[in-house]
DNA sequence: ACGGTGAAGCAAACATCTGTGCTTACGATG
DNA sequence: CATCGTAAGCACAGATGTTTGCTTCACCGT
């Protein structure tokens, strides 16, 4: 007994990368479990098996942590590819989006984008970083299309007719139509070029 | 001294209705001021000049209070009128929405709708009552239009092309185009019947 | 006018979140 | 192999939010 008690601090420590991974996963888990209500730093830390000070020191705030997790996950699961045509790019983006928001996790992530915004009146300009990057990527799609001689719609219109429906459905948990939804949205946006889709 | 000190409790008490009104206004004020970050029960109580226990006992939770305020205000500022035609109804609704989300207060209110939802996986069905009521009202507009012999688009499409753009802009704080936006949205939705609006 | 019910106010306990100083392990560098 | 810097873990303190028991007033019906 006296021998074994001579362990001042046999504490096992996680590497920074392990901490990062565990915390990210914990955020996802708690997001799925309680929907963000009990998404507090101590709770996340406990769920991740990490000391809460590690989270405070590394991320500083709940919002920053959320933004980090959301950006990482969403840019992995909902990427922006280059298919060679404007219609192809937009359709691919919409398809990835539909796939994403069919899963509870995907919906929660999009919702968390809104949650992670400070929105403090005077920070109006800073918006969600994620959302800004997303819009910037849309800009790049448009520029590529323009360089090819295509005539892309303005960003505002893409926002209204492509981004808004997908994001809103994610946020409010409204399932998209069972089939053909990505094509439907793109058709509405670009017009049905030689394909009478809308009845 | 003995006389004036003989005031056991000269406390002035607000009537339940005064409390309700003051608290609602305080929520709006703090929402506009700090964007919801400092929207805590004690802060609301102090700003309203009410004891915080009154709030805790009456509303129970911050979410319930928010939902109450939001529903009340939004249904007053963003109503659903009957203008006699489908296009008129939808345009009026969109105009009210645009006016609403031009003010910081309106944006925050809509944002609060999205964020106040429990959304805990299993509560998927319960979603925002506000949003359900809103959709139900849209249904009524459609029914009225159908009764008049008009051919209203399906709810899904109204959701995608009218509700989604307005709500998304509110949630992410993106200002709508300066002029003609309500008409633009309705034109996209119903088609430009004898009015070549889209360039 | 009288008494009962309900809700607001007060105070204090209670729980929880947030932040800091320090110690200690891990990995990189010479 | 020794040393140094970085970051995780621990303990504790401070602040903030939440809840409860009790008192007191206002309203409403009898």
């Amino acid at each position: 007994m006296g021998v074994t008690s001579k362990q001042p601090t046999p504490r096992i420590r996680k590497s920074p990368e392990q901490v990062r991974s565990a915390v990210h996963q914990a955020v996802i888990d708690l997001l799925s479990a309680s929907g963000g209500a009990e998404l507090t730093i101590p709770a996340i830390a406990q769920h991740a098996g990490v000391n809460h000070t590690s989270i405070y020191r590394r991320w500083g705030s709940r919002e920053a942590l959320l933004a980090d997790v959301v950006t990482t996950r969403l840019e992995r699961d909902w990427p922006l590819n280059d298919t060679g045509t404007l219609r192809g790019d937009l359709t691919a983006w919409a398809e990835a989006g539909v796939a994403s928001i069919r899963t509870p996790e995907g919906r929660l992530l999009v919702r968390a984008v809104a949650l992670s915004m400070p929105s403090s009146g005077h920070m109006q300009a800073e918006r969600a970083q994620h959302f800004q990057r997303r819009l910037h990527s849309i800009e790049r799609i448009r520029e590529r299309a323009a360089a090819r001689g295509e005539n892309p719609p303005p960003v505002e219109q893409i926002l209204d007719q492509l981004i808004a429906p997908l994001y809103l459905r994610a946020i409010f948990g409204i399932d998209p139509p069972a089939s053909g939804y990505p094509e439907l949205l793109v058709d509405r946006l670009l017009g049905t070029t030689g394909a009478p889709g809308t009845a």
Side-chain angles (χ1 to χ4, degrees), chain A:
Chain A
M1 190 185 288
V3 175
T4 53
S5 68
K6 194 55 177 59
Q7 303 169 346
T9 42
R11 55 182 171 189
I12 42 181
R13 163 182 311 198
K14 287 184 169 63
S15 76
E17 185 48 40
Q18 282 176 315
V19 168
R20 200 190 98 95
S21 173
V23 168
H24 272 228
Q25 189 56 47
V27 169
I28 298 291
D29 290 348
L30 292 184
L31 216 46
S32 305
S34 64
E38 302 172 6
L39 201 69
T40 165
I41 305 269
I44 295 169
Q46 183 176 9
H47 192 90
V50 183
N51 195 288
H52 63 272
T53 55
S54 301
I55 297 181
Y56 279 115
R57 291 218 228 258
R58 193 200 274 231
W59 282 278
S61 76
R62 208 192 73 167
E63 278 176 1
L65 172 57
L66 264 203
D68 180 24
V69 173
V70 161
T71 302
T72 303
R73 287 271 177 159
L74 268 187
E75 295 199 347
R76 190 198 64 186
D77 297 346
W78 192 347
L80 208 54
N81 299 318
D82 186 351
T83 65
T85 67
L86 175 62
R87 180 177 294 266
D89 285 358
L90 296 177
T91 306
W93 188 82
E95 277 169 353
V98 167
S100 214
I101 69 178
R102 278 198 196 290
T103 73
E105 177 184 317
R107 282 194 293 269
L108 272 307
L109 283 175
V110 173
R111 218 176 90 88
V113 173
L115 275 176
S116 67
M117 290 199 310
S119 79
S120 316
H122 66 284
M123 311 190 74
Q124 176 101 349
E126 295 199 8
R127 308 272 173 234
Q129 299 170 342
H130 161 74
F131 204 74
Q132 279 301 333
R133 298 186 58 172
R134 187 83 22 185
L135 282 184
H136 184 260
S137 301
I138 294 281
E139 262 301 345
R140 294 226 336 273
I141 282 189
R142 289 188 65 250
E143 286 164 7
R144 285 207 305 262
R148 284 190 299 258
E150 299 186 270
N151 201 349
V155 176
E156 293 273 334
Q157 194 173 349
I158 298 177
L159 184 73
D160 284 345
Q161 300 197 275
L162 199 61
I163 303 177
L166 290 175
Y167 271 64
L168 194 82
R169 284 170 185 273
I171 291 173
F172 286 103
I174 303 163
D175 281 322
S179 69
Y181 189 55
E183 292 79 8
L184 173 63
L185 290 179
V186 174
D187 283 347
R188 281 191 195 139
L189 176 61
L190 300 181
T192 36
T193 317
T198 310

